[in-house]
Amino acid sequence: AKPDQTRDTCSLSVKTPSPVDSQEDSPVGSGPGSAAGNSPARHIILTQAANPLPGQLYTGQAPAETPLGLTFIPTHSEGLCGWGALTPRVIQTFNTPRWVLFFLCVASFLQGMIINGFINTVVTSIERRFDLRSYQTGLIASSYDIAACVCLAFVSYFGGTGHKPRWLGWGVLVMALGSLVFALPHFTTPPYQVSMPEQTGVCTGNRTRRCHDNEGGGLSSYRFVFMLGQFLHGVGATPLYTLGVTYLDENVKSSYAPVYIGIFYTAAIVGPAAGYLLGGYFLNIYTEIHMTTELTPENPLWVGAWWIGFLAGGAAGLVVALPILGYPRQLPGSQKYVAMRVSETHQLKDGSQASASDPQFGKSVKDMPRSVLLLLKNPPFLFLCLAGATEATLIAGMSTFGPKFLESQFSLSASEAATWFGYMVVPAGGGGTFLGGYIVKKLNLRCRDIIRFCMVCAVVSLLAIFIFLIHCPNVPMAGVTSPYRSNLSWLGDNLMVGCNADCHCLRELYNPVCGSDGVMYYSPCHAGCSTVNHTEVSTGRQVYSGCSCVVGGNVTSGQEGLALDGKCTSSCSHMPAFLTFLFIIIFFTFLCSIPALTATLRCVPDSQRSFGLGIQWIVVRSLGGIPGPIAFGSVIDISCLLWQDQCGEQGSCYLYQNSAMSRFTLIAGIIYKVLGMMFFLLASVLYKPPPESPQSSCESTDHGAGDSRGETGDLSIP
């Protein structure tokens, strides 16, 4: 080969040489310990001029004959890293699978941090700032999955046979644009200010307010801007977990693919954790960062700087999209991994899966119905999709309402609950995802072993989910869960009694305070507090005095009639045990994610991998991602004790019954975990491997080929 042909695609000329010829002419046969030396009848066929392998480039030029029987097909700059004609030599250092993995990890980290982290953290703040109802914020959250479902089939089908890095790069750009659009309402609305009477909310003797139908109506229309931002998020993130996964899988050895994909998904899991932690930190900063306020983060009227994360995430997305756009259709040297891959496609009874091996299959829109039919006739693929949907339902429900569950059970603030949940997701979700991919590679698990491994993980997490049988008792709240001590004739939800009757308290102003008697009150006004005594220097929380309803009970000398801003601290001691078992649930749920994905990739024809992942994501989102939060939200709403009252309209829930919340969450968790186990079992039983492959092997592995025969490896000629 000439020096200027070092980047060209290498192929052996189409012939069947004798064992002697192969040892003399083939580079595989040279060198001690080579496969050709041990098994002379085995050779590599990397490219056939008449029928190139999938992904192999053929320029139509006459191949230049070279010594050793090799044929080089010039590909010019196709394998170079760059943008159009701009392919500087200095950036070719980054033209490797490891750098591709790095940039894709950054993109998946940003996607997870923004969509699954920041969005879930700032929902309450957005509701308060823009006067939105719960169903409106739910529609905002669902806009992401709606956009993804609309685009998945198109992107995965045409992107699978197209230039994957360009699809990925443009997707990250669109996702970054969505983040900037999502932060836009902060800069186009008047500053958020709260008047002094609403800050204190003490008993003034004359607190009446008329409800206006158009109050906040102008700001509530900004929900359409948020929906647009989420829609762009969904469109941009669509290629990431379909084309990104297959691009990694195509450009590395099959035995290493689970590790690469595991690292990629680990970044996507760590992203939401970072979103929870950073989101909780930003929510402790007042939304108008250039203004001062007397509000504290514990005050329900407080709105944190929800927009900072989206602004920073959007800017970072614009930066990381540039290198991704510069990668070639195929990385240098990836052709040999394609040649070494052994097909382990599930065998259909009619043998129709062989039609997908045609190099021209899937390049026309006319092939889409046939491609969908092939996937629908593949039982292991279908049941792995359904198992993924059940797991996605739990993940979506937990990620959306996990912080709220901790907040209610252990009487935490919203930022504290988000921070604790973030601490759990980082080691449990990220560690489980990476370890799952590593186990598949280390043990070289085959298809049925992979699915059985997933089934074991589901059993362990099912056993751990029974921790929801344990719950913390509700902190007593006057007029809701316990009577006012000054009026023991309690008749359910009755916030107005004799001690606060003259205060004319507004039910719209929910600002809980903890009385010195250990009872929580709806607001300082409902506790009968007359003045703000002082503000604690260490915490910044206000102390109210003259509270006529705070009497008797655990009141110590000198503290009668005092109340502290915020919720009462829970005396429940179950938090360490609950967090331990929650860690186990999250860890084993994510431990089987990469093995299940690996089984999905290996059980479909190579030409259908991207499209198969697209169909799987449609099933996962339509049956899991979209209804998951709705199902868990409905379950949690059933346990609500105190609803927000906005001029006669029901808003969000202020207080939940902890025992009912735990019980309903347990029932939902058991149902979905049992369904997941059944789907994994059916996928394992119905899988039928090719007769020429190792029994039950669903992974196109080159383990033993690349490792024992050197990186070049070879395949048997049938």
Side-chain angles (χ1 to χ4, degrees):
K2 298 179 181 179
D4 60 351
Q5 291 175 323
T6 55
R7 296 192 303 268
D8 294 346
T9 303
C10 175
S11 64
L12 289 175
S13 47
V14 184
K15 61 182 180 178
T16 308
S18 66
V20 176
D21 292 338
S22 77
Q23 293 182 17
E24 294 177 354
D25 297 341
S26 173
V28 179
S30 60
S34 65
N38 298 329
S39 182
R42 299 165 64 96
H43 312 283
I44 297 178
I45 297 182
L46 293 183
T47 303
Q48 297 182 18
N51 189 18
L53 289 169
Q56 185 73 35
L57 299 174
Y58 181 65
T59 62
Q61 301 175 0
E65 292 296 332
T66 62
L68 304 178
L70 297 179
T71 301
F72 286 91
I73 303 176
T75 59
H76 304 293
S77 61
E78 286 289 337
L80 295 180
C81 191
W83 304 271
L86 183 63
T87 57
R89 184 182 299 272
V90 67
I91 67 171
Q92 303 311 315
T93 305
F94 301 97
N95 199 14
T96 63
R98 291 186 178 182
W99 279 106
V100 171
L101 176 65
F102 171 77
F103 290 117
L104 289 181
C105 282
V106 174
S108 66
F109 175 85
L110 292 175
Q111 184 272 341
M113 182 177 66
I114 294 170
I115 286 86
N116 299 322
F118 289 150
I119 295 290
N120 295 333
T121 304
V122 306
V123 162
T124 305
S125 299
I126 291 176
E127 285 180 354
R128 187 175 301 130
R129 176 68 178 92
F130 296 94
D131 194 35
L132 301 178
R133 305 291 184 264
S134 297
Y135 77 91
Q136 292 172 333
T137 53
L139 188 58
I140 291 172
S142 298
S143 298
Y144 174 84
D145 292 296
I146 293 171
C149 286
V150 170
C151 299
L152 269 169
F154 173 82
V155 170
S156 60
Y157 186 79
F158 292 101
T161 56
H163 198 295
K164 293 185 181 69
R166 290 178 186 170
W167 283 84
L168 288 164
W170 282 108
V172 175
L173 281 176
V174 172
M175 185 175 67
L177 179 62
S179 296
L180 299 179
V181 169
F182 203 94
L184 186 63
H186 171 77
F187 301 97
T188 58
T189 53
Y192 177 73
Q193 293 177 307
V194 182
S195 61
M196 183 61 67
E198 290 179 322
Q199 290 183 29
T200 56
V202 295
C203 178
T204 62
N206 183 18
R207 293 190 53 79
T208 58
R209 184 178 68 174
R210 294 193 314 170
C211 291
H212 300 282
D213 294 337
N214 59 350
E215 184 176 359
L219 293 183
S220 65
S221 62
Y222 274 96
R223 67 183 182 274
F224 297 110
V225 179
F226 291 127
M227 290 173 62
L228 175 61
Q230 275 286 75
F231 193 88
L232 292 175
H233 282 153
V235 172
T238 297
L240 203 55
Y241 299 107
T242 53
L243 305 182
V245 170
T246 51
Y247 189 69
L248 287 173
D249 188 67
E250 292 166 358
N251 287 281
V252 299
K253 292 170 63 176
S254 292
S255 59
Y256 288 131
V259 177
Y260 273 69
I261 298 173
I263 296 173
F264 174 61
Y265 269 80
T266 300
I269 301 304
V270 175
Y276 281 112
L277 298 177
L278 289 176
Y281 174 77
F282 293 145
L283 290 181
N284 284 323
I285 304 173
Y286 189 57
T287 183
E288 308 294 342
I289 58 177
H290 61 284
M291 299 174 59
T292 58
T293 180
E294 296 181 13
L295 290 175
T296 61
E298 287 76 18
N299 194 305
L301 300 176
W302 171 273
V303 174
W306 59 270
W307 51 272
I308 296 179
F310 297 99
L311 204 62
L318 294 177
V319 173
V320 76
L322 185 63
I324 295 177
L325 283 168
Y327 277 100
R329 184 187 295 262
Q330 286 182 312
L331 295 180
S334 63
Q335 291 84 358
K336 63 183 177 183
Y337 300 135
V338 176
M340 291 159 56
R341 185 168 286 138
V342 179
S343 175
E344 300 293 347
T345 307
H346 170 74
Q347 301 300 291
L348 302 177
K349 293 182 178 180
D350 57 2
S352 57
Q353 79 283 344
S355 62
S357 61
D358 185 352
Q360 300 302 318
F361 180 81
K363 295 187 177 181
S364 171
V365 70
K366 297 179 180 178
D367 292 331
M368 183 178 285
R370 190 156 54 115
S371 185
V372 172
L373 182 60
L374 283 178
L375 293 175
L376 292 178
K377 293 166 62 177
N378 192 328
F381 171 78
L382 292 178
F383 285 114
L384 285 172
C385 289
L386 293 174
T390 59
E391 296 296 306
T393 304
L394 288 172
I395 293 172
M398 281 289 186
S399 62
T400 304
F401 298 104
K404 178 175 285 191
F405 189 92
L406 295 179
E407 180 181 350
S408 176
Q409 290 287 328
F410 306 109
S411 194
L412 304 175
S413 66
S415 59
E416 288 175 334
T419 302
W420 273 110
F421 197 76
Y423 287 153
M424 301 302 298
V425 172
V426 170
T433 302
F434 174 78
L435 185 61
Y438 179 78
I439 289 176
V440 171
K441 181 208 176 290
K442 188 67 175 178
L443 302 181
N444 195 27
L445 295 179
R446 298 177 178 177
C447 185
R448 287 196 176 93
D449 296 328
I450 289 176
I451 302 176
R452 287 168 183 167
F453 174 77
C454 295
M455 200 159 47
V456 170
C457 293
V459 171
V460 175
S461 56
L462 172 63
L463 296 176
I465 211 168
F466 281 94
I467 189 62
F468 286 100
L469 287 172
I470 302 176
H471 67 274
C472 293
N474 283 89
V475 175
M477 185 171 185
V480 180
T481 61
S482 67
Y484 281 86
R485 297 191 183 276
S486 60
N487 181 20
L488 297 179
S489 59
W490 177 50
L491 299 174
D493 186 4
N494 185 13
L495 297 174
M496 302 302 296
V497 292
C499 62
N500 58 23
D502 296 333
C503 296
H504 303 287
C505 303
L506 294 175
R507 193 178 177 108
E508 290 82 7
L509 295 179
Y510 175 67
N511 184 13
V513 294
C514 183
S516 54
D517 56 355
V519 177
M520 192 164 63
Y521 296 87
Y522 192 89
S523 71
C525 181
H526 288 82
C529 303
S530 58
T531 58
V532 178
N533 188 285
H534 66 277
T535 302
E536 289 186 343
V537 178
S538 59
T539 62
R541 298 172 68 179
Q542 293 176 326
V543 178
Y544 299 90
S545 61
C547 305
S548 58
C549 296
V550 182
V551 294
N554 298 324
V555 177
T556 58
S557 176
Q559 292 185 340
E560 186 169 351
L562 297 182
L564 183 64
D565 186 27
K567 300 177 181 179
C568 292
T569 304
S570 175
S571 59
C572 181
S573 60
H574 299 325
M575 189 169 176
F578 181 83
L579 292 180
T580 301
F581 281 89
L582 182 62
F583 179 93
I584 295 174
I585 295 170
I586 298 174
F587 179 81
F588 280 94
T589 298
F590 283 95
L591 184 63
C592 70
S593 59
I594 299 305
L597 179 65
T598 302
T600 303
L601 285 173
R602 303 307 184 236
C603 289
V604 298
D606 287 356
S607 61
Q608 287 193 295
R609 288 187 172 191
S610 295
F611 188 55
L613 284 183
I615 297 298
Q616 185 179 57
W617 274 110
I618 291 176
V619 174
V620 167
R621 292 191 185 281
S622 59
L623 299 182
I626 295 176
I630 298 174
F632 273 82
S634 301
V635 163
I636 289 178
D637 281 344
I638 295 174
S639 59
C640 183
L641 290 174
L642 181 64
W643 289 96
Q644 180 185 22
D645 186 359
Q646 294 181 331
C647 300
E649 294 185 10
Q650 190 180 87
S652 58
C653 183
Y654 284 146
L655 186 67
Y656 296 93
Q657 185 179 2
N658 289 342
S659 59
M661 177 185 279
S662 294
R663 183 170 61 253
F664 292 137
T665 304
L666 173 65
I667 294 173
I670 290 176
I671 291 174
Y672 283 108
K673 278 296 180 183
V674 170
L675 285 175
M677 291 167 49
M678 290 175 55
F679 292 142
F680 281 129
L681 176 63
L682 290 172
S684 173
V685 171
L686 296 177
Y687 170 70
K688 182 180 179 182
E692 68 275 10
S693 69
Q695 180 66 23
S696 300
S697 175
C698 185
E699 181 186 4
S700 303
T701 178
D702 53 12
H703 181 76
D707 294 342
S708 64
R709 293 187 295 271
E711 276 216 355
T712 329
D714 64 355
L715 303 177
S716 299
I717 299 177

